Amino acid sequence: VPRMALLATVYYAVTAVLDPGLPENGGAFRPIAVEAPPGCLVNATPPAAVGARFVTCQKVVDVLLRAFARAVPERVIAGCHGGTMVVFSGRDDRTGGPFVDYEVYAGGLGARPTGDGASGWQAHLTNTSNLPIEALEGEFPLLVERYEYIPDSGGPGRHRGGLGVRREVRV
């Protein structure tokens, strides 16, 4: 995770708990100090590979939210799916050219203090869409054979987490 991605992750978690309407500017984040030694997992330096940093950032958000839950439990959701990334690549027999499909799959959001978590969502920082199967199959030499919620995957409790998603793809 490059330092700027770490800062964005920390600012996201703080904003989500304290005030989601907080303006995103330097003044709002100036009181927050983030310490991470250069070269560590969450402050990578070149030539570190950082292409799938969102997976680590998702975990950082969950850790921060868990810490906030000790102080303001009524404002924090439970842990979420950490993010599932799949990359399919190869040669497309339809065109003879190469293809790369880089997707982040949805999962369940953690339960809220007042209700169940949302099912089949992109958690926290992914800002990716739920690509329609028709678009995927039209663009890439892939066939989605199954796409569904996983029953009872949100866990038991007064409020359950959102359901996870199963997506089976044939290359």
Side-chain angles (χ1 to χ4, degrees), residues 19-107:
D19 182 1
L22 188 68
E24 296 177 13
N25 61 50
F29 301 130
R30 197 169 297 122
I32 301 169
V34 178
E35 295 182 24
C40 75
L41 179 67
V42 293
N43 190 2
T45 55
V50 295
R53 62 187 164 269
F54 89 94
V55 176
T56 303
C57 291
Q58 297 286 67
K59 296 300 181 190
V60 170
V61 171
D62 278 341
V63 167
L64 293 171
L65 292 181
R66 187 168 180 168
F68 274 119
R70 299 183 82 165
V72 286
E74 70 282 358
R75 299 186 62 98
V76 179
I77 65 173
C80 298
H81 87 99
T84 304
M85 183 185 72
V86 178
V87 178
F88 294 107
S89 66
R91 181 157 312 282
D92 187 337
D93 290 339
R94 302 172 303 179
T95 65
F99 78 93
V100 177
D101 171 42
Y102 180 107
E103 277 193 84
V104 177
Y105 289 170

Side-chain angles (χ1 to χ4, degrees), residues 108-121:
L109 294 186
R112 298 169 291 142
T114 59
D116 294 345
S119 299
W121 277 42

